Amino acid sequence: MTKKYAILLFLAAILAFPLRSYANEEEGKVDVKENLFHHLGDGYGWEVPFSHTYRIPLPVIVRAEDGSWHCFSSARLSEYEEVTDAATGKTHTVAVPRIVTLGKEGSADTYRFVLAHASKHKDKVVQLLPTSAAEEEDAIKTAAAGNDEIVDGYVKFDGRYYKEYKPFDISITKNVLALFIAAALVTWMVMGLVRFYTRKGFKAPRKGMGFLELIVDFIYTGVIKSTLGSKAPKFAPYLLTAFFFILVMNLLGLIVIFPGGANLTGNISITLVLAVFTFVLTNINGNKHYWKEIFWPDVPLLLKFPIPIMQIIEVFGMFTKPAALCVRLFANMMGGHMIVITLTLLIFIFAAFGSVAAGASSVVSILFSVFMLALDVLVSFIQAYVFTLLSTIFISMAVHEEHEHEEAKEAAA
Amino acid sequence: MELFTPDFGLVFWMFIAFILLFFILAKWGWPVIIKQMEGRADAIDKGVEYAREAKEQLDHARESAREVIGEAQAQQAEMLREAAKMKSQIIEDAKKEASEEARKVMEAAKVSIEQSRKEAELQFRNEVSKFSIDIAEKMVRNQLRNDEDQKKLVDKMLDEIEKN
């Protein structure tokens, strides 16, 4: 028992020390919101552990105002500067944004890009357009009038205003790379199982592959086949792909270092695409019965004839169902990440009150974080399962024949 | 806020990544796995069914074997009983026949004995008559050695004939 307490205290001490010094460096000020959204959001590079400045460089792909495509390394977007703290005299390195100039300096086809900070497109790469002195004057005036340094259509960089253009941006960002890693992982897992089958014939897989097969069976037999019946083979590939993709993305998001750490399913772009797929699949496969339920449901005539109340509700429902799918997954995953990050940030906030508070809050925060992460593992599975289950139900409602529908209703009742 | 507004680049790549993943897995992944899993499940079901049937057949075979054995035993008993019956019948028959035969033999023997006895009697009679004639002749010869005796006799004979 005493041994356990000793380990716990030791851990707390280790955890508290560097944090305290770090907190001192930052003069005890922690921008919680900034940190939170930085960790939840996307980025042009990928953070590595134990470095505040270094990012794994990733390609930035943008389409400039004149329609030309440009590709450059994200490492070029920032440079490192030594900063000396006036109070303590310590120096540390910080990354500051800089202008990336492509093409010959001063010629007509020079393209300048910068990672915007004081702009409407914060933390995005924007193209700097040639700005006349009059235009800059205008921007400064607008900023002074609005008492806000952000001016629409302009980006403030190094104290100067430039006209900006938000390029068409398909950069391989941190999230995009994480997406590819997740897709590759799913492919590797599934094709591994397929390879096992082709090699070993009818032998049942064991261990990891057996577990994978168990999950496939759990989803296929338990969810897809029991809901869709004879139509299961047609929709199973989409539903299984969605399930495993979501599951792997969820779990990768919980790993804090390199191959993981990207908050993918907690990003609305990802869940939106998934929900759109379900929406499209549901509606292109909808049968006569499905459309009849929407445009001429079995309700009293007055509810649907002179004023199409029911039709409006049903059409609205068509869109709210996938929208709920999208938001549910997004909110659950983002919520989980947010709680863990906030708990971690608590340490930095309490660090301002001295080492005792920092040490105590470290222990509490870490215990809670571990608990929350464990819970998130469960949530990862549940959310992937729920997404698949609801997609299956939406599709089954669209493709089921009337008598099957009645039977399902009876079974539910 | 960045998190709540879809980012075009990410949507674009997500679309491509998902479509690619979907096509790869839909073509080479899931159908194979599903077919394999269902195939194996069917094979297991079939195996169990086969085993159950085999057991049933075995039980059935045991039953029928027992039946056959029982039948054979019954038949055997029947046959034994019949054999015993036949044996006693044969013995009975044999006995009857033997006694009949014996009776016939005895009869024949009796007849032949009677015959022999009659023959012997006849022969004996003949012998006796022959002997008696001989004896009579000798006696007569003896008695009739003198003439007086012969005359007496003739007289006597004649007396007798006369009386008759």
Side-chain angles (χ1 to χ4, degrees):
Chain A
M1 215 52 196
T2 43
K3 207 174 164 191
K4 270 186 195 167
Y5 280 123
I7 291 169
L8 211 61
L9 279 173
F10 179 65
L11 278 175
I14 287 180
L15 289 164
F17 265 101
L19 298 180
R20 200 175 150 258
S21 58
Y22 176 62
N24 277 351
E25 260 173 11
E26 306 269 311
E27 290 170 8
K29 273 187 189 165
V30 184
D31 188 346
V32 176
K33 200 181 146 205
E34 173 74 30
N35 258 300
L36 198 59
F37 284 101
H38 171 73
H39 281 285
L40 288 175
D42 204 351
Y44 286 98
W46 203 318
E47 303 88 342
V48 288
F50 309 116
S51 168
H52 296 302
T53 48
Y54 183 72
R55 303 276 183 274
I56 296 170
L58 298 169
V60 176
I61 306 165
V62 285
R63 183 174 168 273
E65 200 192 18
D66 61 358
S68 57
W69 288 95
H70 302 278
C71 178
F72 55 91
S73 162
S74 71
R76 290 175 67 183
L77 284 169
S78 52
E79 58 191 352
Y80 302 114
E81 249 175 38
E82 288 276 313
V83 174
T84 311
D85 197 332
T88 56
K90 282 181 191 162
T91 59
H92 60 273
T93 318
V94 290
V96 291
R98 68 163 177 198
I99 295 172
V100 179
T101 311
L102 303 170
K104 213 179 266 171
E105 191 81 50
S107 74
D109 40 289
T110 306
Y111 300 95
R112 294 190 299 165
F113 297 98
V114 76
L115 189 59
H117 184 69
S119 155
K120 218 176 67 178
H121 308 289
K122 189 168 158 23
D123 292 334
K124 293 275 174 220
V125 167
V126 293
Q127 188 186 2
L128 300 178
L129 300 175
T131 318
S132 65
E135 280 167 333
E136 202 184 331
E137 204 64 26
D138 259 4
I140 292 166
K141 261 184 214 161
T142 321
N147 199 19
D148 186 3
E149 59 170 0
I150 295 167
V151 182
D152 210 13
Y154 287 87
V155 56
K156 191 182 179 194
F157 181 72
D158 250 358
R160 287 193 59 194
Y161 279 97
Y162 298 89
K163 266 211 297 192
E164 67 170 2
Y165 169 71
K166 170 79 177 73
F168 202 67
D169 189 349
I170 52 163
S171 307
I172 308 296
T173 57
K174 175 184 164 187
N175 278 354
V176 175
L177 184 62
L179 201 63
F180 292 162
I181 291 170
L185 214 60
V186 173
T187 314
W188 174 73
M189 266 160 48
V190 174
M191 294 323 273
L193 191 57
V194 169
R195 209 167 51 242
F196 176 88
Y197 287 147
T198 48
R199 272 195 203 150
K200 301 273 172 81
F202 258 85
K203 255 185 141 181
R206 309 285 147 122
K207 294 178 183 170
M209 284 195 187
F211 184 60
L212 179 63
E213 201 195 75
L214 177 81
I215 299 175
V216 175
D217 190 52
F218 173 67
I219 297 299
Y220 182 70
T221 317
V223 178
I224 303 172
K225 214 174 173 192
S226 64
T227 315
L228 286 169
S230 61
K231 294 195 181 70
K234 189 181 169 191
F235 297 104
Y238 165 69
L239 294 165
L240 283 169
T241 307
F243 175 81
F244 278 93
F245 201 23
I246 295 170
L247 181 66
V248 169
M249 286 195 291
N250 285 351
L251 292 176
L252 272 182
L254 298 180
I255 302 168
V256 283
I257 55 167
F258 168 61
N263 173 30
L264 273 181
T265 36
N267 190 306
I268 203 152
S269 312
I270 303 291
T271 58
L272 180 77
V273 174
L274 287 167
V276 165
F277 276 122
T278 297
F279 174 76
V280 169
L281 213 57
T282 308
N283 286 289
I284 62 171
N285 285 297
N287 58 13
K288 224 165 60 189
H289 178 70
Y290 170 74
W291 292 111
K292 186 190 159 282
E293 278 290 310
I294 290 172
F295 292 112
W296 202 250
D298 286 326
V299 289
L301 190 65
L302 277 176
L303 276 175
K304 56 188 176 182
F305 178 52
I307 319 155
I309 303 170
M310 283 309 289
Q311 283 89 328
I312 292 170
I313 292 172
E314 290 283 353
V315 170
F316 197 65
M318 260 167 69
F319 293 96
T320 50
K321 279 188 278 188
L325 269 187
C326 163
V327 174
R328 179 180 297 110
L329 180 59
F330 156 69
N332 271 289
M333 292 320 292
M334 196 196 60
H337 283 254
M338 213 176 231
I339 292 168
V340 174
I341 296 166
T342 314
L343 282 170
T344 314
L345 285 173
L346 271 184
I347 303 170
F348 296 88
I349 295 165
F350 277 104
F353 302 113
S355 51
V356 178
S361 66
S362 298
V363 174
V364 174
S365 288
I366 283 168
L367 286 179
F368 272 105
S369 298
V370 168
F371 172 72
M372 279 312 297
L373 277 169
L375 199 67
D376 274 349
V377 173
L378 188 66
V379 169
S380 295
F381 186 83
I382 291 171
Q383 286 309 317
Y385 176 73
V386 165
F387 188 95
T388 316
L389 181 72
L390 290 178
S391 293
T392 314
I393 289 170
F394 295 157
I395 291 171
S396 86
M397 287 199 302
V399 299
H400 261 205
E401 302 301 328
E402 192 155 4
H403 62 273
E404 281 179 282
H405 201 63
E406 297 294 304
E407 273 169 25
K409 263 186 193 167
E410 272 167 32
Chain B
M1 205 162 301
E2 188 204 348
L3 274 177
F4 303 101
T5 48
D7 174 54
F8 177 78
L10 195 53
V11 169
F12 171 77
W13 286 116
M14 173 63 187
F15 188 80
I16 288 181
F18 192 86
I19 288 278
L20 269 179
L21 184 69
F22 170 72
F23 277 111
I24 290 170
L25 296 186
K27 191 153 170 41
W28 295 293
W30 303 123
V32 181
I33 292 175
I34 288 167
K35 213 180 111 201
Q36 188 81 17
M37 282 192 324
E38 292 197 328
R40 198 185 321 129
D42 284 350
I44 290 167
D45 283 354
K46 245 182 240 161
V48 170
E49 181 69 10
Y50 180 80
R52 203 181 59 76
E53 255 169 33
K55 195 179 167 290
E56 214 164 70
Q57 267 172 2
L58 189 69
D59 287 352
H60 195 72
R62 211 169 274 155
E63 193 81 1
S64 67
R66 203 173 295 139
E67 232 162 65
V68 165
I69 288 169
E71 221 163 78
Q73 272 170 346
Q75 232 164 14
Q76 188 197 23
E78 181 77 10
M79 269 161 86
L80 280 174
R81 211 167 44 243
E82 228 153 79
K85 218 163 104 188
M86 222 144 94
K87 189 181 86 181
S88 54
Q89 180 79 32
I90 286 168
I91 290 169
E92 196 79 1
D93 282 2
K95 265 185 189 162
K96 225 182 249 175
E97 214 162 286
S99 63
E100 185 74 10
E101 196 73 10
R103 204 180 51 79
K104 269 184 191 163
V105 168
M106 293 279 276
E107 210 105 306
K110 257 183 208 163
V111 170
S112 91
I113 287 166
E114 190 71 11
Q115 191 82 17
S116 304
R117 197 180 55 84
K118 272 182 185 162
E119 263 171 33
E121 225 168 52
L122 205 61
Q123 215 175 342
F124 186 63
R125 207 186 224 168
N126 286 346
E127 299 270 310
V128 167
S129 59
K130 210 170 144 191
F131 278 143
S132 54
I133 290 168
D134 280 353
I135 292 164
E137 204 185 283
K138 273 175 187 167
M139 266 172 59
V140 168
R141 210 167 271 160
N142 253 351
Q143 282 172 349
L144 299 180
R145 229 169 279 158
N146 47 14
D147 286 347
E148 207 180 315
D149 286 346
Q150 277 180 11
K151 207 182 159 187
K152 248 183 208 156
L153 186 65
V154 171
D155 284 350
K156 199 186 171 188
M157 292 271 187
L158 282 168
D159 284 354
E160 265 174 31
I161 291 163
E162 260 176 25
K163 263 184 200 170
N164 285 346

